[in-house]
Amino acid sequence: MASSPTAPVVQGSGPYSNGRLTRDRVLACALEIIDRDGVDGLTMRRLARALERDPMSLYRHASNKAALLDGVAETVLAQLTVDPAATDWIAQLRTVARQYRRLALAHPHVVPLLVTRPMATPLALRPRGTLRPLEAVLALLTRAGFSGSDALHIYRALFGFLHGHVLNELQELVDNPEESDDLLRLGLHRLPIGEFPLLRGLASVLAAYDGAAELERGLDILLTGLQATLTPIP
């Protein structure tokens, strides 16, 4: 997920240059910069230029860059909807998983903020917006009859799988996209035959990677296993 070259911000040219400055506008503009140039491309000064404001005015909405990044993560996760009243918990978790993947693909530079950044912050100190999906999934599963501890276990298993899936899907798989031979296309010809015969033999499978299909297959395995090992209380 390499960042593209940082593009100059032309004052007065963006959609955020007019009107009252609000936290939502600040975060929306920050997300746009991250989507285009990556997390390293976002600075308070650059964001202020895009908003045509003095940099100091931003600190009323985000005390520092860390708080700004937390706000961006909240902005993206706010688009993840969970229906705690859904009667089919498995179908609802599938819907959540598909939504999460779509958000990750739409905002690939934000994925590290969603996956790795929370690990550096104790649960109770994380932005409340990042905790709402957890609370909603716990509500869904406890309504379905699972104990609180089992509901938490299901949540951890699901999002652990999702985090791994989106990181895997977003990584660069192709070494030479113009090459038609799968082994050469993926660069697997560089691996010693004697050490990696099975991996080299899977070149055609690796080249045919389908993120949506892999997600569904992984959910089949995960949710079927959870359903078989964890029984809701009648």
Side-chain angles (χ1 to χ4, degrees):
M1 295 189 292
S3 300
S4 59
T6 299
V9 176
V10 180
Q11 289 199 2
S13 64
Y16 307 104
S17 58
N18 297 309
R20 186 172 66 89
L21 193 64
T22 64
R23 185 173 187 271
D24 286 346
R25 292 182 70 230
V26 169
L27 294 178
C29 187
L31 176 58
E32 185 178 288
I33 293 173
I34 290 175
D35 280 342
R36 184 173 59 243
D37 302 316
V39 172
D40 290 341
L42 176 68
T43 65
M44 299 297 270
R45 185 172 296 278
R46 186 159 186 255
L47 179 58
R49 284 205 312 272
L51 292 163
E52 291 199 347
R53 296 294 195 279
D54 183 276
M56 294 306 296
S57 68
L58 301 184
Y59 291 96
R60 289 196 293 269
H61 306 282
S63 57
N64 50 41
K65 184 175 177 179
L68 190 62
L69 295 178
D70 286 340
V72 169
E74 286 186 284
T75 296
V76 173
L77 283 177
Q79 302 173 60
L80 184 68
T81 58
V82 183
D83 180 7
T87 56
D88 186 336
W89 66 272
I90 290 181
Q92 179 61 198
L93 291 186
R94 281 187 180 275
T95 298
V96 170
R98 292 165 186 158
Q99 283 185 46
Y100 192 88
R101 175 179 175 267
R102 285 195 294 269
L103 287 172
L105 296 181
H107 306 286
H109 291 306
V110 179
V111 169
L113 303 182
L114 304 179
V115 176
T116 61
R117 185 173 173 80
M119 296 179 184
T121 308
L123 190 65
L125 298 181
R126 294 176 194 173
R128 292 181 183 179
T130 64
L131 296 176
R132 290 194 178 97
L134 167 57
E135 183 69 16
V137 170
L138 292 178
L140 167 73
L141 295 172
T142 53
R143 282 175 62 95
F146 290 100
S147 67
S149 59
D150 281 351
L152 184 58
H153 177 74
I154 293 172
Y155 172 88
R156 287 172 171 165
L158 175 66
F159 276 84
F161 162 72
L162 286 177
H163 291 162
H165 174 86
V166 298
L167 288 173
N168 186 65
E169 184 169 359
L170 290 171
Q171 74 178 351
E172 183 60 57
L173 294 175
V174 177
D175 181 54
N176 184 1
E178 303 303 321
E179 177 60 59
S180 58
D181 181 87
D182 292 335
L183 196 70
L184 299 177
R185 185 167 179 257
L186 298 174
L188 295 178
H189 62 288
R190 299 190 183 94
L191 299 180
I193 296 177
E195 291 184 45
F196 301 98
L198 297 178
L199 187 57
R200 286 170 58 100
L202 287 171
S204 61
V205 177
L206 291 167
Y209 181 84
D210 182 331
E214 287 291 330
L215 178 73
E216 296 301 327
R217 184 173 178 82
L219 288 172
D220 286 342
I221 296 169
L222 175 66
L223 295 175
T224 299
L226 289 171
Q227 190 176 30
T229 57
L230 299 176
T231 305
I233 302 170

